């Protein structure tokens, strides 16, 4: 008999039919006459209850059906008398694929802390919480492709190994095949990278944007969606050393178009999740964050505030609020400042624009005031910065001047400058941190809990 996924037991009209299900046991309880097993197969947050009549099954055999074991059951799907479920399976065949020693299987009962579950990240997908988070994450990834594909954007695959530092922050993971114990040296006694795999120093990318711009100035509109690496030593609930980023880049878009795209894009993703992951979001709303659904719906309804950095700083200065980090014009805003603007002052998402050039990357379009650049950060409740982007400096001379001021090594960037030498156009783009979106949609509070296997300083287990 063909296996039915548990999610389909609840949706299709299968009552009164013989079904076959396979999955992992969540709990077993009962007495000498009847045993009840809650089975989950990952297809939904909901378990199917399986009823074992001990007239038909051996009590000893059922003992092996412990929490965490994998089983196959066939039986009749019937309406359930018990509360909390609509249907259940009256078992007539049991096959045990693999037991799970109750003394050793770490996920015995509910109520483990998220911290403990991080230590067993290899097993946590089997919990309700991580099942829900990972299903939502998958749905959001699909929504992202759907959004861009429906709008004629091309999915561009940018390299993960690169010789250029897009954000200029220098927080890159070096990639080398040299023997670190005994590297080749040149005449000056320095490590001789001409003998390295690529003949020069390379690192894991911090952003696909520079290559994305090459795509946009040929295909018109592209997006990237891939892993991104930052070796910054930030141990915060919002930073990962390996995260996924989505970077759309559009020729002929100015910053206003860019802001509209960002707002439409985020709203589309949130509403896709609300429409397609209702059970999982309701579970998280119930268990972790009673305001989750209300917050998601409120963001969908509100127009994002658009505000210059200069005006934002004025609001912060005049707020009279004591911040841990001081605010003044020129300061890089901290999450506490961003969240004050969003959560307390405006009570809706804010797009902050026109930041001081000193705190932003070299490629951003310079404003006529000589002090600010056409940057935009989208700030979200609970998250702070969820998107960072800008209109790009398309003028070769101005871009070159900025590169020189910042002392950026151009020997590996000649190809990027060619976009400004040959058929340069105004263009804009942004990067959305995928895990920050997943954080927002799930209501989780630590970014380590929205990626299956988090990489953070000091942690690359699993
Ligand atoms: O603001 P960022 O650094 O911008 C860029 O990388 C640009 N090249 C994007 C572009 O214009 N194409 O990063 C973009 C977003 C941030 O807003 C944040 O959501 C996320 O990426 N992000 C991180 N997420 C998790 N862990 C980290 N360490 C992150 N650093 C950035
Ligand atoms: Mg940023």
């Amino acid at each position: 008999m063909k296996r039915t996924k548990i999610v389909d037991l609840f949706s299709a009209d299968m009552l009164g039919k013989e079904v076959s299900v396979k999955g992992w046991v969540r709990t077993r309880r009962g007495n000498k006459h009847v045993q009840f097993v809650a089975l989950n197969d990952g297809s939904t947050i909901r378990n199917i209850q399986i009823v074992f009549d001990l007239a038909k099954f051996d009590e000893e055999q059922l003992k092996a059906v412990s929490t965490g074991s994998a089983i196959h059951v066939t039986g009749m799907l019937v309406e359930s008398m018990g509360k909390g479920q609509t249907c259940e399976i009256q078992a007539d065949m049991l096959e045990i694929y693999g037991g799970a020693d109750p003394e050793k299987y770490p996920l015995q009962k509910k109520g483990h802390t998220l911290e403990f579950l991080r230590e067993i990240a290899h097993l946590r997908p089997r919990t309700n919480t991580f099942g829900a988070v990972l299903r939502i994450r998958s749905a959001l990834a699909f929504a992202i492709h759907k959004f861009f594909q429906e709008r004629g954007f091309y999915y561009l695959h940018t390299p993960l190994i690169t010789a250029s530092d897009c954000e200029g922050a220098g927080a890159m993971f070096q990639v080398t095949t040299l023997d670190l114990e005994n590297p080749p040296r040149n005449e000056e006694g320095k490590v001789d990278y001409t003998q390295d795999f690529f003949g020069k120093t390379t690192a894991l990318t911090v952003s696909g944007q520079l290559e994305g711009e090459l795509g946009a100035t040929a295909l018109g509109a592209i997006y990237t969606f891939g892993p991104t690496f930052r070796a910054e030593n930030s141990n915060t609930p919002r930073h990962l050393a390996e995260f996924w980023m989505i970077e759309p880049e559009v020729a002929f878009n100015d910053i206003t178009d860019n802001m509209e795209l960002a707002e439409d894009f985020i709203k589309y993703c949130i509403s896709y999740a609300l429409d397609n992951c209702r059970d999982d979001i309701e579970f998280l709303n119930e268990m972790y964050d009673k305001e989750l659904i209300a917050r998601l719906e409120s963001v969908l309804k509100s127009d994002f505030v658009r505000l210059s950095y200069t005006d934002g700083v004025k609001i912060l200065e005049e707020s009279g609020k004591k911040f841990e980090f001081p605010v003044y014009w020129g300061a890089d805003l901290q999450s506490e400042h961003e969240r004050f603007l969003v959560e307390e002052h405006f009570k809706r998402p804010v797009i902050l624009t026109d930041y001081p050039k000193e705190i932003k990357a070299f490629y951003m379009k310079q404003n006529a005031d000589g002090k600010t650049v056409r940057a935009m950060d989208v700030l979200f409740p609970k998250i702070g910065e969820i998107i960072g982007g800008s209109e790009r400096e398309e003028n070769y001379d101005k871009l070159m001047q900025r590169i020189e001021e910042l002392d950026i090594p151009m020997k590996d960037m000649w190809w990027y400058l060619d976009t400004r030498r040959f058929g340069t156009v105004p263009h804009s783009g942004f990067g959305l941190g995928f895990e920050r979106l997943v954080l927002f949609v799930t209501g989780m509070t630590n970014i380590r809990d929205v990626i299956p296997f988090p990489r953070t300083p000091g942690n690359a287990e699993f």
Side-chain angles (χ1 to χ4, degrees):
M1 199 191 319
K2 209 168 164 295
R3 169 192 168 217
T4 304
K5 285 193 181 175
I6 291 172
V7 67
D8 297 328
L9 294 178
F10 298 113
S11 51
D13 53 342
M14 303 191 82
L15 277 180
K17 294 206 177 97
E18 184 82 0
V19 295
S20 155
V21 293
K22 302 178 177 186
W24 294 269
V25 173
R26 285 292 166 82
T27 56
R28 177 172 55 85
R29 62 187 174 82
N31 53 42
K32 290 233 165 297
H33 308 291
V34 61
Q35 294 267 313
F36 302 97
V37 165
L39 193 72
N40 189 282
D41 67 359
S43 64
T44 163
I45 188 115
R46 298 167 72 179
N47 301 328
I48 185 75
Q49 171 156 288
I50 298 169
V51 184
F52 290 94
D53 183 345
L54 289 186
K56 282 197 262 175
F57 290 90
D58 177 29
E59 208 180 338
E60 272 312 299
Q61 192 197 9
L62 277 177
K63 276 207 181 118
V65 181
S66 58
T67 298
S69 61
I71 61 171
H72 171 200
V73 171
T74 62
M76 179 88 81
L77 187 72
V78 298
E79 233 171 290
S80 177
M81 298 294 141
K83 61 173 200 286
Q85 69 248 342
T86 50
C87 55
E88 62 191 21
I89 294 172
Q90 237 125 40
D92 49 42
M93 188 286 294
L94 165 67
E95 179 187 359
I96 297 173
Y97 287 126
D101 185 345
E103 303 284 312
K104 297 193 180 129
Y105 185 63
L107 290 172
Q108 286 307 331
K109 283 270 167 227
K110 303 173 191 155
H112 295 300
T113 65
L114 293 170
E115 288 77 12
F116 170 72
L117 292 176
R118 255 171 246 151
E119 290 168 19
I120 52 162
H122 60 306
L123 293 173
R124 67 181 183 170
R126 293 193 191 178
T127 63
N128 283 335
T129 300
F130 286 88
V133 167
L134 294 178
R135 280 185 295 270
I136 293 169
R137 185 181 164 106
S138 169
L140 284 170
F142 181 70
I144 285 162
H145 285 294
K146 198 158 148 22
F147 176 87
F148 288 117
Q149 296 285 337
E150 282 170 357
R151 283 159 187 76
F153 285 62
Y154 299 102
Y155 183 24
L156 186 76
H157 298 103
T158 51
L160 298 190
I161 299 177
T162 172
S164 55
D165 178 0
C166 173
E167 293 305 298
M172 301 180 86
F173 290 101
Q174 196 178 335
V175 173
T176 180
T177 53
L178 292 180
D179 176 3
L180 293 182
E181 300 291 338
N182 185 25
R185 306 228 169 236
N186 59 23
E187 278 154 23
E188 294 161 51
K190 296 233 171 82
V191 174
D192 182 9
Y193 285 105
T194 63
Q195 294 188 46
D196 203 347
F197 190 91
F198 297 105
K200 56 174 151 188
T201 54
T202 51
L204 295 177
T205 189
V206 297
S207 160
Q209 180 197 322
L210 301 186
E211 291 89 352
E213 288 183 50
L214 303 178
T217 52
L219 299 168
I222 62 91
Y223 67 105
T224 72
F225 187 177
T228 312
F229 308 88
R230 304 225 173 152
E232 43 194 350
N233 200 2
S234 345
N235 251 310
T236 82
R238 277 176 298 278
H239 288 87
L240 290 165
E242 176 180 298
F243 64 100
W244 287 64
M245 186 152 56
I246 298 96
E247 295 186 276
E249 191 72 35
V250 189
F252 316 113
N253 265 12
D254 64 16
I255 187 145
T256 308
D257 304 320
N258 207 30
M259 288 192 275
E260 274 162 23
L261 180 67
E263 184 167 343
D264 289 349
F265 172 49
I266 293 209
K267 284 180 172 170
Y268 181 95
C269 294
I270 294 170
S271 102
Y272 185 89
L274 279 170
D275 291 346
N276 292 276
C277 309
R278 198 71 202 191
D279 285 359
D280 289 323
I281 292 179
E282 274 169 8
F283 169 82
L284 295 170
N285 189 87
E286 184 59 32
M287 296 296 292
Y288 291 97
D289 180 353
K290 296 267 191 298
E291 272 140 43
L292 174 61
I293 294 176
R295 191 181 318 115
L296 297 178
E297 283 168 350
S298 118
V299 163
L300 287 185
K301 279 200 303 258
S302 53
D303 291 327
F304 296 6
V305 176
R306 295 171 190 200
L307 185 76
S308 73
Y309 168 93
T310 303
D311 290 343
V313 167
K314 213 173 283 162
I315 291 171
L316 291 165
E317 282 174 336
E318 287 166 6
S319 71
K321 179 137 178 146
K322 200 100 196 83
F323 294 109
E324 190 188 337
F325 293 90
V327 257
Y328 52 90
W329 199 94
D332 207 354
L333 296 186
Q334 304 294 323
S335 170
E336 55 171 343
H337 307 131
E338 298 171 340
R339 291 181 58 177
F340 175 83
L341 290 173
V342 173
E343 290 166 23
E344 296 181 46
H345 191 81
F346 289 108
K347 300 193 173 22
R348 54 194 166 118
V350 174
I351 310 184
L352 216 53
T353 60
D354 302 290
Y355 284 71
K357 63 178 182 196
E358 282 76 19
I359 58 172
K360 289 292 180 189
F362 74 95
Y363 51 71
M364 295 190 182
K365 187 174 175 69
Q366 296 157 45
N367 283 321
D369 63 11
K371 294 191 297 193
T372 60
V373 287
R374 223 160 281 177
M376 59 163 230
D377 278 8
V378 180
L379 313 179
F380 252 49
K382 297 271 184 188
I383 307 290
E385 179 190 337
I386 194 163
I387 279 181
S390 72
E391 188 169 339
R392 318 305 188 189
E393 182 54 77
E394 84 271 20
N395 179 286
Y396 180 89
D397 294 327
K398 287 191 187 157
L399 183 62
M400 214 38 215
Q401 175 208 334
R402 202 66 197 120
I403 284 170
E404 278 161 14
E405 279 168 15
L406 292 171
D407 229 358
I408 296 171
M410 272 334 289
K411 65 173 178 8
D412 296 317
M413 292 263 210
W414 58 272
W415 49 270
Y416 179 67
L417 283 167
D418 270 5
T419 54
R420 276 56 168 182
R421 289 176 64 212
F422 308 123
T424 189
V425 289
H427 61 290
S428 302
F430 59 81
L432 168 77
F434 185 50
E435 285 74 19
R436 295 200 185 168
L437 175 68
V438 185
L439 264 182
F440 184 71
V441 173
T442 58
M444 301 306 277
T445 51
N446 193 314
I447 201 163
R448 292 165 181 79
D449 297 333
V450 297
I451 185 165
F453 305 105
R455 266 76 183 105
T456 49
N459 178 33
E461 195 66 48
F462 313 110

